[in-house]
Amino acid sequence: MGRDSSPPSHINTGEAVPVTIIAWTGSSKTMLHFRLSTTLLLATICLFQTTVSTETVITCDNGINVQRLSCDTGVVRVDAALYGRSNRETCSAGRPPPQLVNTGCSQNGTVNVMKNRCDGKKVCEINTNLLRTSDPCYGTYKYLETNYTCVPAISVVACEGSSTHLFCDGGQVIFVIGADYGRHDQTTCSYKRIASQLRNVECSGPTSNVADSCNGKNSCTFHASNSVLGDTCGGTYKYLEVAYLCEYPLYNS
């Protein structure tokens, strides 16, 4: 960071201290709570300064364009998403004026679709055609605009048929950012598997089951299986990816 990063003399290194970091994402404020040894405190502050970032991605919709959300460090957390049109300038090149006039066009449920698909992942790609479940404003040329934050997270993977254990330090509880049961590459959980079980790398199964089972607990064991999570892609050997934070619970006074 271009400055002395040695801990101040009054800090007792090795002592565990609670840390609250407040991150502004657009107009909202997010408080992340951690317990860290003081030897890691300054390093963690530097880490947050470089890894917590808010991004906006806009993709014009022609039915084949793909929107890509990615984080160099941390994982995606979708904050807002619009499929429609909110102004006349965005994605207007070559379009006749009647296709740009409706600036109050918005597809209901867009943010939920994006959160289910992308939360907790380092990289997420969405074909805009996925949002075409209905036409909220016929005759208007639309685009997908997504605001997201890259947040630090603990990531764990459980191969199909095995269990994963989520846990936090004493006094902290689990908060699951996202979970997906499927396959996105041919190397993860590939040991002694035949090629046909690894071929489908477009197998995606976003699930809220892990959050429903583990949020608010200090530790949690979750079994990754078709009987628990459903068989999203028959014949494909899958794995469960989970991204979560450890937070201090907030109590109402």
Side-chain angles (χ1 to χ4, degrees), residues 26-94:
S27 60
S28 62
K29 181 173 68 176
T30 301
M31 290 193 300
L32 306 178
H33 309 272
F34 300 88
R35 177 170 291 274
L36 303 172
S37 66
T38 51
T39 55
L40 297 178
L41 177 55
L42 289 178
T44 301
I45 293 173
C46 295
L47 179 66
F48 268 78
Q49 288 177 340
T50 58
T51 62
V52 177
S53 60
T54 300
E55 310 287 344
T56 298
V57 179
I58 297 174
T59 306
C60 304
D61 178 28
N62 61 4
I64 60 173
N65 282 348
V66 173
Q67 182 168 102
R68 188 176 194 269
L69 314 182
S70 64
C71 293
D72 292 334
T73 305
V75 298
V76 171
R77 186 195 65 205
V78 174
D79 300 316
L82 166 76
Y83 175 69
R85 176 165 292 277
S86 63
N87 62 68
R88 298 189 182 192
E89 292 75 33
T90 304
C91 293
S92 61

Side-chain angles (χ1 to χ4, degrees), residues 109-124:
T110 299
V111 69
N112 290 332
V113 171
M114 296 301 294
K115 288 182 73 67
N116 287 338
R117 290 277 181 165
C118 298
D119 275 6
K121 297 181 179 180
K122 289 188 69 65
V123 177
C124 178

Side-chain angles (χ1 to χ4, degrees), residues 10 27 40 104 111 131 160 173 183 188 193 218 220 230 233 244:
H10 68 274
S27 60
L40 297 178
V111 69
L131 283 305
E160 180 179 331
V173 296
R183 175 165 291 278
T188 304
R193 293 291 158 180
N218 175 256
C220 178
C233 314
Y244 71 99

